[in-house]
Amino acid sequence: MPTWKLSTEFTFNAAHQIRDYNGPCGRMHGHTYTVKLEATSHQLHASEFCPHPVMVADFRTLKWAKKDVFKGGLDHCILNEVLPEGYETTAEMIAKYIYDKTKKSLPDGVKLKVAVSENPNSWAEYEDD
């Protein structure tokens, strides 16, 4: 069975504080977050921007989070004010939030993995089988 894998990476800037954290991360601070997404599919699809079944997913759809917060993304926001209840602002939960919101925009059958980093040496990944 043929398989296509699409990967993309982008950054966005945001501030946050981890609720009830005993240390510096409990205070408001900012990061340049790096996000890596992988989308895998056994068939190609059309997208909101292209009517032909020629892609796993549209890069524009995958990169929604890099848009300015006032345009529906996460760039230059305070994550504590933007993420819905139930999502803490750890890298793990930010990865899950980006996964959940992105997955809703993808065709059925597309497998997704999201990785988020607050610094070059540490990553959190989320995927759901």
Side-chain angles (χ1 to χ4, degrees), residues 3-21:
T3 302
W4 287 269
K5 182 184 281 189
L6 186 66
S7 299
T8 190
E9 183 176 320
F10 60 88
T11 62
F12 69 91
N13 295 293
H16 78 126
Q17 65 188 65
I18 299 175
R19 183 173 39 102
D20 299 326
Y21 187 88

Side-chain angles (χ1 to χ4, degrees), residues 64-75 77 82 97 101:
W64 68 269
K66 75 178 264 175
K67 289 195 252 176
D68 184 83
V69 67
F70 294 117
K71 295 181 180 177
L74 297 175
D75 192 46
C77 77
V82 174
Y97 174 71
K101 189 164 177 180

Side-chain angles (χ1 to χ4, degrees), residues 15 20-21 29 34 42 44 48 65 70 72 89 100 119 123-124 126:
D20 299 326
Y21 187 88
H29 62 285
T34 301
H42 296 298
L44 297 179
E48 174 185 355
F70 294 117
T89 62
D100 290 345
N119 65 61
W123 288 88
Y126 184 84

Side-chain angles (χ1 to χ4, degrees), residues 9 27 44 68 79 92 96 107 113 126 128:
E9 183 176 320
R27 297 190 301 269
L44 297 179
D68 184 83
L79 290 167
E92 295 89 343
K96 183 179 183 331
K113 179 170 30 174
Y126 184 84
D128 192 1

